[in-house]
Amino acid sequence: MSGAEVGLPDALERAASALTSDAEAIRPANGDPFQLAALLDAEAAVRVLTWLLCNEPAAGEELASAWAEDADGAGQAVLGVDAGALPKSARKPLRRVLHRLRSQGLSVPEAAPQGEIVAKLPTLDESLHEGRVSALDPRGARVVYLALDHPSGGARLFEIVIDDDQGVLEFEVYNTGRSRVRRFLRDFERAGGRLPGADAPEASIRALIHRSLSAHPDARPLPRGFSEWRSRLAEGRADAPSPGALARAELSDAAAPADALDRVSGWVKEGVLGPWPAAQDRLTPIAERIAESGKSTLVVSGATRREQLEGAIDAALIEIFDEGFAETTALRFEESAYLLWKADRAEDARAALAAADTFRGGSPATNPVARSLLEVLFAPVLRAARGDAAEDDGDAPSPVVEA
């Protein structure tokens, strides 16, 4: 055993030097446990793990823990180690791996007598094709997860931050064990919050990815590493419904509640949904015009000034929620409806779908939900402008609190 613990890649390099017959399979894996499992045959995997447990116990335990995540694949090498033939320092880390498996609820038999290996990890569902979606953040972005089987064992977890207006924002891919991925996805759903994330069909996740790709600006590069996986992540999306479309289809059997738009406007004002702004270069000149409408260059009454301000707000609503951005906002309310539906809030989900419908018909100036989004988005500007208008009537202005 080495005098000091080393990382798994370094320990595997030492194993390659000691196990020369296995070196050609060990070195190309570059320290990746699942790539290593794919390159070693069954006997070689047991041999390498045994060497590590005996000579580099910490690295051996790390490798055993990773392989044990893949019960019917690399995990079999863990059970192929003859625990009775190991020194005490090697048996302890092996027992810890098995103990962790038991503590996770897996039925792992006790160690067999020396020289007799009869234990077998329970068969798990090897198929892993799962998706998860988060709620939209205040800017309109959300994270989606796609978990798929790794060809060499274990799983790949794709983490992608997408925006229906700004495209693909961030991308990461993780290679790990199936059990670890499943635990992560369960924890993701249990994370809570006002609108927690939810599971979604794999095809629907791909549909969301494809939709965000369609919106991605040509001038901005895709996140690093995404292009390598682009075709696979967006494959099979041509006619797949998004999560929001699934919610609409499921909830079409009943009408929205009578107070649907008031309910959704309340969520916007409380910060549960929205404000999901348009691009900053579109909003800045609009905010400036609203601010100017509250200032007086002529001697006019406060009532006239307030009328001018309301006219500027109506014009801003029409300018912001043009056909393209109105559709983006409608999609965002539909996707929020999916999360409400998955949280067993069917009536609230129908209210969100009703809000989506208001952005696909009628004038934005008469849309109460659009007005609530604008009021939240431009709150400091509107407070200042309304304060200026109140001064024209001799009223005391409301205090301006910058957001």
Side-chain angles (χ1 to χ4, degrees), residues 126-371:
E126 288 300 295
S127 177
L128 184 62
H129 294 273
E130 298 188 30
R132 298 293 187 275
V133 290
S134 77
L136 283 82
D137 72 11
R139 301 197 66 82
R142 71 193 315 194
V143 61
V144 298
Y145 290 100
L146 193 60
L148 303 173
D149 286 321
H150 193 300
S152 300
R156 284 195 180 108
L157 180 66
F158 296 93
E159 179 184 70
I160 312 162
V161 180
I162 59 174
D163 186 311
D164 283 331
D165 190 47
Q166 297 298 313
V168 181
L169 305 180
E170 298 177 25
F171 171 77
E172 294 287 347
V173 59
Y174 306 97
N175 296 314
T176 185
R178 291 181 179 88
S179 297
R180 185 173 296 177
V181 168
R182 288 190 171 100
R183 285 198 302 274
F184 172 83
L185 295 178
R186 285 196 300 269
D187 291 344
F188 171 75
E189 289 185 65
R190 296 169 182 166
R194 290 186 170 185
L195 199 56
D199 67 288
E202 176 191 350
S204 295
I205 299 295
R206 295 183 190 278
L208 289 178
I209 296 169
H210 180 254
R211 194 163 78 194
S212 67
L213 277 169
S214 300
H216 195 88
D218 293 336
R220 195 181 77 236
L222 288 164
R224 181 175 161 184
F226 181 84
S227 296
E228 176 185 352
W229 299 99
R230 177 173 180 165
S231 60
R232 182 172 183 186
L233 291 172
E235 69 185 3
R237 80 282 174 179
D239 56 358
S242 72
L246 292 175
R248 186 175 286 280
E250 182 68 24
L251 299 169
S252 61
D253 59 335
D259 66 341
L261 300 187
D262 288 339
R263 191 180 301 195
V264 176
S265 293
W267 296 336
V268 171
K269 293 171 184 176
E270 293 165 8
V272 178
L273 298 178
W276 306 330
Q280 188 62 42
D281 59 354
R282 293 185 60 202
L283 296 180
T284 299
I286 296 173
E288 291 172 351
R289 288 197 292 273
I290 291 176
E292 287 299 318
S293 69
K295 297 176 181 178
S296 179
T297 57
L298 300 173
V299 179
V300 295
S301 68
T304 300
R305 186 60 57 199
R306 285 193 293 273
E307 184 178 340
Q308 291 174 345
L309 176 57
E310 290 305 312
I313 292 173
D314 289 347
L317 286 166
I318 293 170
E319 184 173 352
I320 292 172
F321 295 103
D322 57 14
E323 183 178 358
F325 194 67
E327 176 60 22
T328 295
T329 306
L331 290 171
R332 286 168 169 169
F333 277 111
E334 276 188 348
E335 296 307 325
S336 299
Y338 178 83
L339 295 177
L340 290 164
W341 169 49
K342 295 295 285 186
D344 296 324
R345 296 168 58 183
E347 189 173 81
D348 286 344
R350 291 188 177 95
L353 291 173
D357 292 339
T358 65
F359 287 89
R360 292 182 171 128
S363 171
T366 60
N367 183 337
V369 180
R371 187 169 291 266

Side-chain angles (χ1 to χ4, degrees), residues 26-41:
I26 295 173
R27 290 193 170 107
N30 293 319
D32 181 278
F34 295 106
Q35 185 65 20
L36 178 65
L39 294 170
L40 295 170
D41 61 32

